[in-house]
Amino acid sequence: QLQASGGGLVQAGGSLRLSCAASGRTLGTYTVGWFRQAPGKEREFVAAISWRGERTYYAESVKGRFTISRDNAKNTVYLQMNSLKPEDTAVYDCAAPLIGTSASRGTYWGQGTLVTVSS
């Protein structure tokens, strides 16, 4: 029901835009977030956006480099990632709804999209 896409291989300093599209349900009333999991590490919060887009939240490690946005008419949430670093390499996944910046038992997840940043 959530489809994350847009990952790929990029050099350090480059940019990617991830998309999270919903099918079968509307994202319009949900806080939606992005999480990532690097090999051998726990999943971590990256960014979230409130349902009207007036509030955004970011992990300290991505502040100033990543921007989350949404287009409720297209039922899609985006993550623009700039100035990518090798340590940003991970599988990125979108999730909704969130409670604040946390997932819960009622949260739906996408299938993930791999972002690889080469040095």
Side-chain angles (χ1 to χ4, degrees), residues 36-42 86-91 114-116:
R36 68 186 182 186
Q37 187 167 20
K41 294 188 176 180
E42 299 274 321
E87 52 263 43
D88 294 318
T89 295
V91 174
L114 176 62
V115 172
T116 304

Side-chain angles (χ1 to χ4, degrees), residues 2-74:
L2 295 182
Q3 180 84 21
S5 62
L9 174 63
V10 64
Q11 288 188 328
S15 299
L16 282 174
R17 188 175 83 154
L18 306 184
S19 298
C20 176
S23 60
R25 63 177 56 242
T26 177
L27 291 177
T29 58
Y30 294 157
T31 293
V32 181
W34 287 94
F35 293 76
R36 68 186 182 186
Q37 187 167 20
K41 294 188 176 180
E42 299 274 321
R43 183 168 61 199
E44 64 175 355
F45 168 77
V46 176
I49 186 166
S50 61
W51 73 274
R52 282 184 291 192
E54 77 276 22
R55 291 189 302 274
T56 55
Y57 311 88
Y58 296 95
E60 283 297 323
S61 58
V62 307
K63 274 183 182 178
R65 300 188 298 121
F66 291 11
T67 303
I68 190 170
S69 62
R70 67 191 299 159
D71 184 339
N72 286 341
K74 294 183 178 179

